[in-house]
Amino acid sequence: MTAHALVVGAGPAGTAAAIRLSASCDVVTMVEARPRDGLKRTGEHLPPAAVTEFAKLGFPDLLAEECHEPSPGVRSLWGSGFAVDKEYFLTLPSSGLNLRRQQFDEALARRAERAGVGVQFGTRLTHLQRDWEGYVATLLGPDGERTIHADLVVDASGRRAVASRHLGATRSRYDQLVGITGRIDRLQPDAEIGRVHVESVEQGWWYGVQFSDGVLLATFMTDVASVQQHAARASGLWFDQVRASRLLAPLARGGHWSGRVDVFDASAQVLEHDAPRGFLAVGDAAAAYDPLSSWGIAKGLRDGTAGAEALIREREGDANAVARHRNAQQRDFETHRARQSDFYRAETRWPTSPFWRSRQGVWQQRSA
Ligand SMILES: Cc1cc2nc3c(=O)[nH]c(=O)nc-3n(C[C@H](O)[C@H](O)[C@H](O)COP(=O)(O)OP(=O)(O)OC[C@H]3O[C@@H](n4cnc5c(N)ncnc54)[C@H](O)[C@@H]3O)c2cc1C
């Protein structure tokens, strides 16, 4: 197919889309704002079903790096004062995986390059508009600003949905969730290595994993308002909460914390957009799920692949292919929201907490 495709964002969704497009388009360019080895990201968890999804989609090699660590299961303290263990050995595959996201992102980039995709790191989309023949994108990279023309554009820029918003799309947000991640190191590895710890508390919930090198990554999920109300903001809130956590305080004991945390937007959101011809948002740019699901990465790979196929079919004459894909994204998001609501409703110990109250009634939607 004689076409130039531009993919914005080199996360799982963008990479999967670029690889699929490279099988059908002359030229595929994928631009990524961060430098190749830049940006620390939180370590992420893949439950066994997500590991299976990688294999089904043809990406098992992306998990081959030895740095990723097997996870035996999840210990959760949610809805009652008792900790419950869910063991993965009863499932197939018999373990999950805790990703080192930086190495995972590098594996994505190498896989895309092998498929013939031109991957440009440190290059940011700063403007996008339609013209008679397709799209004109302005890119700011290490050598300054330049303009390129593309027939097909995939927005895989994550929750910010940058490309879509240049074309007038808005985001409907369902909450103000943020993840505050801190790293405690120099711990003595113990028997709980790799086990995911999930704990609900009055202002939100915890997610923590200890790796074999003695590092505990602990993310506190809470609303923006809780951060704003704490005198010492995100780092103070994180520290106070980790000390009070029943599951994580014992794991963190004796370790060293640098005093810094990273804060990530983790809101559930969906894009409101009638995709113009030749354009589609995929992954978190189209619909971002609550991290409680541990499904964002596998969903990104699946949506990127299926979204690229829809764009190709549309270009080959199936005028409704992209609209059908958009409908499927919307349906999946609604299913996800219903499931998340059930989880949040199971926690009834803090009826006056704004965090839990806002998740136990009808979800309020806001546009941004
Ligand atoms: C705190 C937290 C914990 C999570 N835990 C898990 C978990 O345990 N398991 C799981 O499966 N998922 C988890 N997720 C979700 C998961 O991280 C995302 O769903 C997944 O990364 C989405 O993939 P994506 O490719 O759509 O977007 P991303 O991975 O966000 O990639 C988007 C890329 O676009 C780039 N970009 C942005 N703007 C521009 C621009 N203007 N020009 C060029 N590039 C741009 C960004 O730099 C980024 O690399 C978590 C998320 C959060 C916030």
Side-chain angles (χ1 to χ4, degrees), residues 58-126:
F59 295 114
D61 53 311
L62 291 177
L63 303 178
E65 298 276 345
E66 282 176 8
C67 58
H68 308 310
E69 297 194 5
S71 171
V74 181
R75 174 162 301 158
S76 62
L77 219 168
W78 189 284
S80 79
F82 301 102
V84 176
D85 284 355
K86 177 179 173 184
E87 304 295 347
Y88 288 156
F89 68 78
L90 298 169
T91 64
L92 264 180
S94 57
S95 71
L97 214 52
N98 293 316
L99 290 183
R100 306 258 191 188
R101 183 66 195 258
Q102 209 154 328
Q103 285 87 343
F104 175 67
D105 283 347
E106 175 58 25
L108 289 173
R110 284 202 306 265
R111 176 73 188 266
E113 284 165 346
R114 278 208 310 279
V117 176
V119 188
Q120 299 177 12
F121 282 92
T123 304
R124 178 182 296 277
L125 176 85
T126 57

Side-chain angles (χ1 to χ4, degrees), residues 9 11-13 32-33 41 44-45 101 125 156-157 207 265 284 296-297:
E32 168 53 57
R41 307 199 44 154
E44 284 147 321
H45 177 70
R101 183 66 195 258
L125 176 85
S157 61
Y207 160 92
D265 177 6
D284 280 8
I297 291 184

Side-chain angles (χ1 to χ4, degrees), residues 169-184:
T170 56
R171 294 171 293 173
S172 287
R173 293 184 156 202
Y174 291 81
D175 56 48
Q176 300 287 307
L177 193 69
V178 288
I180 310 170
T181 302
R183 178 190 157 107
I184 296 180

Side-chain angles (χ1 to χ4, degrees), residues 11 17 26-27 34 38 40 53 60 79 92 119-120 124 126 143 154 185 197 201 204 238 250 263 300 316 327 347:
D26 291 336
V27 182
R34 67 183 153 81
K40 297 153 298 329
E53 188 74 8
L92 264 180
V119 188
Q120 299 177 12
R124 178 182 296 277
T126 57
D143 302 324
V154 174
D185 49 21
H197 291 74
V201 297
W238 182 89
V263 182
E316 290 171 348
N327 288 341
E347 180 52 88

Side-chain angles (χ1 to χ4, degrees), residues 195-238:
R195 183 176 294 281
V196 173
H197 291 74
V198 176
E199 177 181 354
S200 52
V201 297
E202 187 167 358
Q203 289 185 58
W205 53 274
W206 275 105
Y207 160 92
V209 179
Q210 191 185 0
F211 285 81
S212 60
D213 56 3
V215 170
L216 171 69
L217 280 180
T219 300
F220 186 53
M221 309 295 311
T222 190
D223 282 332
V224 172
S226 304
V227 180
Q228 289 165 342
Q229 283 157 16
H230 196 285
R233 297 295 164 108
S235 55
L237 178 64
W238 182 89

Side-chain angles (χ1 to χ4, degrees), residues 181-358:
T181 302
R183 178 190 157 107
I184 296 180
D185 49 21
R186 300 185 215 155
L187 288 162
Q188 285 301 322
D190 70 7
E192 296 307 332
I193 286 175
R195 183 176 294 281
V196 173
H197 291 74
V198 176
E199 177 181 354
S200 52
V201 297
E202 187 167 358
Q203 289 185 58
W205 53 274
W206 275 105
Y207 160 92
V209 179
Q210 191 185 0
F211 285 81
S212 60
D213 56 3
V215 170
L216 171 69
L217 280 180
T219 300
F220 186 53
M221 309 295 311
T222 190
D223 282 332
V224 172
S226 304
V227 180
Q228 289 165 342
Q229 283 157 16
H230 196 285
R233 297 295 164 108
S235 55
L237 178 64
W238 182 89
F239 186 63
D240 287 351
Q241 293 285 334
V242 84
R243 278 196 309 180
S245 159
R246 280 179 52 199
L247 292 185
L248 296 182
L251 287 183
R253 199 160 292 139
H256 171 262
W257 174 49
S258 67
R260 62 163 294 177
V261 293
D262 293 302
V263 182
F264 301 92
D265 177 6
S267 55
Q269 65 172 55
V270 69
L271 195 70
E272 305 293 346
H273 197 206
D274 287 329
R277 195 176 150 71
F279 181 91
L280 183 62
V282 294
D284 280 8
Y289 292 8
D290 189 310
L292 191 55
S293 66
S294 288
W295 197 247
I297 291 184
K299 186 257 293 175
L301 284 178
R302 182 163 62 184
D303 194 37
T305 304
E309 271 167 18
L311 274 177
I312 291 161
R313 282 200 302 276
E314 180 192 63
R315 193 160 171 87
E316 290 171 348
D318 179 352
N320 295 322
V322 167
R324 283 199 302 276
H325 186 76
R326 292 276 301 133
N327 288 341
Q329 288 174 327
Q330 186 74 39
R331 267 197 316 275
D332 288 350
F333 182 71
E334 293 302 330
T335 307
H336 155 76
R337 273 184 60 206
R339 203 171 294 145
Q340 295 311 112
S341 283
D342 289 346
F343 273 113
Y344 282 113
R345 285 203 191 98
E347 180 52 88
T348 55
R349 287 178 290 170
W350 299 285
T352 58
S353 152
F355 181 90
W356 294 100
R357 278 178 56 188
S358 66

